[in-house]
Each structure stands twice: as C-alpha cells, then as structure tokens.
Amino acid sequence: MKKYNIALIKGDGIGPEIIDEAVKVLDAVAADEDFDFSYEELLMGGCAYDMTGDPLPKETIEGAFDSDAVLFGAIGGEKWDNLPREKRPESGLLRFRKELGVFANLRPAVVYDELINASSLKPEIVKGVDLMVVRELIGGIYFGEPKGREGDKAYNTMVYSKMEIERIAHVAFDIASKRGKRVLSVDKANVLDVSQLWREVVEEVAKEYPDVSLSHMYVDNAAMQLIRDPKQFDVILTGNIFGDILSDEASMLSGSIGLLPSASVGSKIGVYEPIHGSAPDIAGQGIANPIATIASASMMLRFALDENRAANRIDSAIKQALSEGYRTKDLADFDAKEICSTSEMGSIIANYAAKCKL
Ligand code: NAD
C-alpha cells in the first residue's frame, strides 16, 4: 500500500477547523483506495509566532520538503497586525512560497449549477463556467528590483526573465492540454516592454503544444470579458499582479469565497490551499465553509499525487452535498434545504465520497 506524507499547516483563525474537515474527507476516500496518508502538523503564521517568535520556523520548511504535498489552511489576524513586517504571519507565508519555489498558482473558478443563484451575475451568464487561472507567483512587480522610496517618490519594477515566462507558460499549456485545449495569455503588451517579452516567449512555448490553441488579450479587456462572458475562457495564463486581480475577480463568479480552492506548484513540493484568508470574524463558531479546503485536497490528489479517481470522488461528493441542498451559513440564502456546521458539511462530503465508486 502506498503511503503519502502530507504536511498539514492549519494556521490561524478558521484554518484548523477547515483543515480538519479536509483530512476527514481524505481519510474517507483513502479507506478503499490503494493508498494511505500520514500527516505531520507544521506551524506557520500567527500561531507559529506565538509559539516560536517566528511566523515561519525552519522546521516548517524542512517538514514541507520532507512531505509529498502541503495542505494549508490560512494565516493572519488582527492580533498580529502591529508586529514588525518580518514577524507578521503574511511575511511567513510569502517566505514559505519563495523557499518552496512554487512559481505557479492555479486557481480554478467553477460555478456549481446548484449555486447558480449565489453568483452576483445572471444565471445565464455564469451557468457552466469552468476556467482556470494560471498565475505566475514569485516574480513580476511584487518581487522586482529596484523598489523603494525616495523623497516624495516610490517605485516598483516589473521584471520577468525568459526562463520565468517559459516555466509558467509550460504549466498553463500542460493544464490546457488536459482540459479545453485553449490558453489565453493576458498581458499589457501595448504599453509594457515586459509584456512584449512575455508575449514572444509564450508564442515560442506554444509551438511545443500543437493541439492547444493560443490567443492573447490585454488585461483591461480581460477584466471586462470575465464579467461580460466568462464562459469564453478555458485556461488564463498571466503574470503575478494581473493574475492576483483577475483570479479574485474570477472567484466571485461562483458566489462564495468559501468554495474556491487553489494550488501553488513549482518543481518540487506543491501547496494546496483555499483562496480565502483566516476569516477571524467567524473563527471558532463552526460556521466556516470547508468546501474550498476540501476541493484543495482534491487538487492535491490530482496534481501532486496523480490520484485522479480519488480526486474525482471528492469533486462529485461536493456536488452531491450541494445538490442535496446542504449549505453552510455563507450560502444559507441559496436554495438551502438544510443549514449545517463546518463539521457537519465535512462529514456529509466524507460520507458521499466514501460511497462514491467511480
Ligand atoms: P478573509 O478571506 O479571511 O475573509 C473575508 C470574508 O470572507 C470574511 O467576512 C470571512 O468571514 C469570509 N470568509 C472567508 N472564508 C470563509 C469561509 N471558508 N466560509 C465562510 N466565510 C468565509 O479575508 P480578510 O478578512 O481580508 O483577512 C483576514 C485575515 O486573513 C487577514 O489577517 C489576512 O491577512 C489573512 N489572509 C490570509 C490569506 C492566506 O492565508 N492565504 C489570504 C488572504 C488573507
């Protein structure tokens, strides 16, 4: 029997509650697959600072490298907001991503038929949306040098090397070749030199994927098209800052931030996490929606462990729970038949996943 070592980083706020539910579901599917999990809990964020004085202790980086994949909840909260920047939970997370070299952030945005009324857009616009944003995560303007402040000026630099563009483009084309076979590269090549290089390199990489089509769009148009006609998209490939904004925009198509998973991958260990934060306003109340984290666990099975059947079982269990009308409080107003707690929702999905034979 295969044994996968999963590093669990529960973090702060609702992090521990939602990770516990994802583990429940993972164990439920593993029960009749030919693999098993062992879990190691690692500290990151405010809780790590409280216990060790460092939001990212070195044991956490070592533990992550010793694992097959990292399942992460969320970090942060007001309690730590006034610490010096390098001690804050968010600094720990940025450092963690950099240390692991996770240069690609994958954010699927799927609109569940059962929640069609939860979207802020009209049902006919969002029905059937199934897109993936592939965002470059550790380069571009968030990391470029020089940056700083001088007198009454401040500046940041958007830099990409050919290598950085090539590797993220390969991720996007690989994913598209297993989905709808369309990549849309988003840039601002009419204004930015760095975007012109981006376009040239993406065109070159595309030649290696003859069965995937490539098109380009300026970021301002892409932001508009995502609202006008989101069904036109399959895989959106873009840089760090454009991807940050577009993926948050895309996430709102689905109706609740509590539904959306993500994966951050590189050449080694991947990090699988919900797109939302630690939601301190609802922490400890048992009302957080665990679906984004459970769906992140499914992405982990698919992308890190190549256990596609198990991932499909989880995805279909989530859909079943929603179509039976089970809702956590964030979705209570949308065709709910029964409102459940975080832990009840985890158990319902675990139960469906256990019964689902694909
Ligand atoms: P947030 O995503 O934590 O919460 C935004 C709103 O969405 C809140 O009203 C919250 O209750 C709700 N929400 C979030 N997740 C939910 C879920 N699973 N179920 C139901 N409702 C949910 O964003 P914020 O309030 O801006 O940030 C709170 C803290 O989280 C901050 O310290 C921030 O720095 C941190 N943060 C961490 C991450 C991360 O760990 N990856 C990401 C974003 C924000």
Side-chain angles (χ1 to χ4, degrees):
M1 164 121 33
K2 282 175 277 178
K3 184 110 181 157
Y4 295 122
N5 299 317
I6 307 301
L8 293 180
I9 303 184
K10 295 184 174 182
D12 308 316
I14 60 170
E17 300 167 54
I18 53 181
I19 288 286
D20 286 350
E21 299 317 309
V23 168
K24 201 188 266 178
V25 176
L26 283 171
D27 287 341
V29 282
D32 55 5
E33 297 282 345
D34 62 349
F35 58 81
D36 202 358
F37 297 107
S38 72
Y39 303 101
E40 188 190 4
E41 281 193 38
L42 304 171
L43 287 173
M44 184 165 72
C47 57
Y49 173 79
D50 286 348
M51 288 181 75
T52 70
D54 184 349
L56 180 65
K58 76 174 189 327
E59 294 74 23
T60 296
I61 301 168
E62 290 164 2
F65 275 119
D66 284 344
S67 73
D68 294 304
V70 178
L71 187 62
F72 166 49
I75 49 90
E78 243 174 48
K79 179 179 173 196
W80 303 283
D81 278 352
N82 295 321
L83 289 171
R85 180 174 291 274
E86 71 285 0
K87 299 281 183 200
R88 289 184 51 168
E90 293 79 4
S91 299
L93 177 57
L94 285 184
R95 220 164 14 105
F96 185 63
R97 290 177 175 153
K98 194 88 184 168
E99 292 274 354
L100 261 62
V102 286
F103 60 84
N105 184 231
L106 319 182
R107 279 195 185 190
V110 175
V111 175
Y112 294 104
D113 282 354
E114 297 76 11
L115 292 175
I116 200 89
N117 295 319
S119 175
S120 48
L121 297 185
K122 291 184 200 138
E124 63 270 26
I125 303 270
V126 290
K127 188 171 170 38
V129 164
D130 180 2
L131 61 86
M132 173 81 86
V133 179
V134 177
R135 164 191 170 194
E136 202 289 327
L137 196 61
I138 56 174
I141 196 164
Y142 293 170
F143 292 90
E145 297 286 348
K147 63 179 172 201
R149 296 181 72 139
E150 263 168 38
D152 58 0
K153 282 192 200 153
Y155 49 91
N156 294 84
T157 308
M158 191 187 275
V159 190
Y160 272 117
S161 68
K162 194 171 169 221
M163 178 278 288
E164 287 173 307
I165 304 168
E166 272 169 1
R167 66 184 184 181
I168 188 74
H170 278 292
V171 172
F173 280 97
D174 283 337
I175 288 173
S177 64
K178 294 178 201 139
R179 294 176 40 108
K181 305 201 176 339
R182 286 180 294 128
V183 169
L184 174 82
S185 175
V186 172
D187 61 36
K188 191 71 184 166
N190 51 343
V191 178
L192 300 174
D193 293 319
V194 63
S195 285
Q196 286 160 11
L197 176 70
W198 180 279
R199 227 175 237 225
E200 284 162 29
V201 175
V202 172
E203 293 272 356
E204 277 304 306
V205 172
K207 291 179 186 158
E208 297 177 42
Y209 300 85
D211 50 341
V212 178
S213 73
L214 168 67
S215 53
H216 302 275
M217 197 179 272
Y218 299 134
V219 62
D220 39 353
N221 188 20
M224 189 263 282
Q225 295 292 340
L226 263 175
I227 300 297
R228 195 187 71 82
D229 177 20
K231 272 183 272 194
Q232 68 183 285
F233 299 109
D234 177 24
V235 172
I236 298 176
L237 160 65
T238 192
N240 204 343
I241 188 168
F242 299 155
D244 193 2
I245 298 164
L246 291 180
S247 60
D248 267 27
E249 188 188 351
S251 73
M252 270 296 89
L253 300 171
S254 78
S256 170
I257 196 169
L259 293 169
L260 292 164
S262 80
S264 299
V265 299
S267 47
K268 298 182 202 112
I269 308 302
V271 183
Y272 298 82
E273 57 179 300
I275 71 158
H276 57 74
S278 59
D281 53 331
I282 57 167
Q285 299 175 33
I287 57 172
N289 189 341
I291 290 181
T293 315
I294 295 169
S296 303
S298 160
M299 287 187 86
M300 179 182 85
L301 286 166
R302 199 180 299 286
F303 290 99
L305 310 177
D306 214 14
E307 298 289 357
N308 288 309
R309 184 180 51 183
N312 291 338
R313 288 173 62 195
I314 294 181
D315 293 348
S316 81
I318 294 172
K319 274 181 187 241
Q320 192 176 350
L322 292 173
S323 67
E324 302 280 332
Y326 293 108
R327 303 280 186 270
T328 39
K329 199 172 165 219
D330 51 317
L331 293 168
D333 293 340
F334 305 104
D335 306 314
K337 293 208 185 79
E338 195 171 325
I339 306 302
C340 35
S341 67
T342 308
S343 147
E344 284 163 350
M345 181 60 103
S347 300
I348 289 160
I349 295 171
N351 194 24
Y352 286 148
K355 287 189 191 140
C356 174
K357 307 275 178 253
L358 290 172

